[in-house]
Amino acid sequence: MKLSLRLVSAVLISSMLLVATATEISPEAVAPRTCETLSGRYKGLCWSSNSCALICREFEQFEGGHCRGFIRQCYCTTKCC
C-alpha cells in the first residue's frame, strides 16, 4: 500500500513543528554580550588586569576591565544591550 504524498508531507511538517516548539532556549543559556571600550583614564602599559578593572569601575563607571593586545592597553567592560 502506497502512502500518499499529502500524508507524508503532513507527518513531516507536524514532526518539524513538534521539534521546533519542544526546544526552547532558556534565558540562562544565552550569555549576555560584553562590550569593551579603551580606557580613557588608564595611563601607561597595562600589566595588571586588577588595576585596570579598578580604574574602570571607580573612575569610568564600567563593570570591570582587563589588559589585552600586543601593546598592553586597558579595556573597560560592561554588558551590552
Side-chain angles (χ1 to χ4, degrees), residues 18-56:
L18 181 65
V19 169
T21 57
T23 56
E24 290 183 23
I25 299 174
S26 65
E28 296 85 28
V30 179
R33 291 182 26 214
T34 301
C35 291
E36 295 181 332
T37 303
L38 184 62
S39 173
R41 289 277 187 116
Y42 198 92
K43 302 298 180 203
L45 293 177
C46 183
W47 297 111
S48 170
S49 288
N50 288 338
S51 62
C52 172
L54 180 69
I55 296 293
C56 290

